[in-house]
Amino acid sequence: MTALPPPSPRKLGLVIDLDICVGCHACAVNCKEWNTGGHMAPLTDFHPYGAGQNGVWFNRVHSFEAGDGADGRTVHFPRSCLHCEQPDCVTVCPTGASYKRAEDGIVLVNEDICIGCKLCSWACPYGAREFDEDSGTMKKCTLCIDRIYNENLEEVDRQPACVATCPANARHFGDLGDPDSDVSRMVKERGGYDLMPEMGYKPVNKYLPPRPRRGRDATAPAVAELQPASDEPQGLLRWVDRMLSR
Amino acid sequence: MNPAFSVIFFTSASGAGFGLLFLLGILGPLGLLPSSSWFGVVAFAVSFGLAVGGLISSTFHLGHPERAWRAFSQWRTSWLSREGVASVLTFVPAGLFAVGWVFFGSTGGIWAVFGLLSAALAAITVYCTAMIYVSLKPIQRWSNGWVAPGYMLISLMTGALLLDLLLHLFGAGHWLVSGVALVAVAAAWAVKTGYWRFIERTASASTPESATGLGAFGRVRLLEAPHTEENYLLKEMGFRVARKHAARLRDIAELCGFAAPLMLAGVSLISLALEAHWLGTLAALAAVLAAAVGVVVDRWLFFAEARHAVTLYYGAAEA
Ligand code: SF4
Ligand code: SF4
């Protein structure tokens, strides 16, 4: 059913720390690696080794510049499904293939009934859904439901592949519906925010902003200017200068 | 947005078919149309042919056309599903209405009820089609108040131009039908003009700053894209038509879609007063052909000029 379930107390999602992300794409690669054998497998690739590669990914890492000069930032920005609380991607689906789970709020696609009309991908402002030309169905991030509830894995490994692999620890997984969870506290302390709040989709995933710069006077120039040793060279330098200026 | 031919053809053709059905369903019971079987056969063939042809073509772009029946299930939330249900429902009274007209040569009594019902359902179907686009918030150029009136008026306009032609061909031209065509063209033109003004003047609701949440640092721009080749998102939603092409195509849409049909519908109306049968037929035929070109170009532009919010993550400054 594409009608949304009543809001669940449990809201599983990710918190992504833009202060820490180094833009290495490891999360995207491990996501691809796990999920091409996971719940929505395969993540088809066309022409993987030639020109015009085209394939399904659940996670894409963009890099942005924000602001200018000393206060400008280069920010690496992973983008994946935000498991929104008001996801129009679910309600526009004509078949019921797209759904939001009542128990934990994860948004999924039932590959067995999806007709591949692509409307859900049009309804997602965040570009989280990618159509698989080969299977003729829509694919998207599953929040690794096949890891987080997987009793065959060690407890520490029961988290999404992207979170498990991030070498910088910029990604965190947890219950954002529980105000006392680690992720909720992190969001509170760091001022975690929603992407495109004006769309009204109420994303569950939050982004933590880059921290303010520390230990530097904001008015000081970014780099000490390199000064010539002297405009009027003395001694040996004066001789070199004269020889070269001839 | 990528202008997929099947969807452009579907919305234009089924819009015209349902527009024609709407007018048949109202003007038939009012006794303003020839109740002869032959007129019924031709009129319903054109109307059903366009509507059904359009609906079938809309399944061509599906990944799994064989599962299309599943799309009837989610009418409680999905406008696409509602459209499917409404279009199928329309054919129930419309089929019966056609039976009365074709086999019993009657559009009165119970057949009139079927006619009015099919008119109402035809209008609802076109409204549902428009609402599929209106309900997509990430596409501001679709999700606004101009789109549904535009779809409905263009459907009425193309239906009226077709009916005017059919009547002239049967030597039964009627001033009311030519008049409705004239007014519908003018109204559709006005609404489209309003729509174009809206899309040009309305600032983008979302920006690279709101998309990334990094506006506090200043202007946000893409430094490095996540991939070097095009992906599904860029192919489907990254399509942008060059400004100068869009302007030229808009001229074609206005000329063929509105200006010419407006003038020609006027000629058709005047021809009735002059009893110049051949002139009316020629004018109505030319109006239908011009409108067909204009409406398809306009629909193409409706897609090509639409911008999706996801492009903000790929370097677009506005969506
Ligand atoms: S990010 Fe997109 S796909 Fe994911 S829940 Fe939100 S609207 Fe749906
Ligand atoms: S592509 Fe599949 S999941 Fe998406 S709206 Fe269409 S049927 Fe639903």
Side-chain angles (χ1 to χ4, degrees), chain A residues 23-47:
Chain A
C24 68
H25 294 244
C27 55
V29 173
N30 200 32
C31 167
K32 176 95 172 169
E33 169 73 23
W34 175 266
N35 282 294
T36 202
H39 180 78
M40 266 181 220
L43 306 195
T44 310
D45 282 317
F46 290 92
H47 317 295

Side-chain angles (χ1 to χ4, degrees), chain A residues 80-90 98 100 105 107 120 123-129 140-141 201 203:
Chain A
S80 58
C81 175
L82 309 170
H83 298 281
C84 306
E85 285 183 69
Q86 286 296 326
D88 281 10
C89 61
V90 170
S98 210
K100 183 167 176 73
V107 174
C120 53
C124 171
Y126 307 105
R129 293 174 169 243
K140 70 176 289 300
C141 158
Y201 284 46

Side-chain angles (χ1 to χ4, degrees), chain A residues 93-95 97-98 109 114-120 138:
Chain A
C93 172
T95 62
S98 210
V109 177
C114 172
I115 58 174
C117 69
K118 307 178 184 163
L119 196 59
C120 53
M138 194 55 70

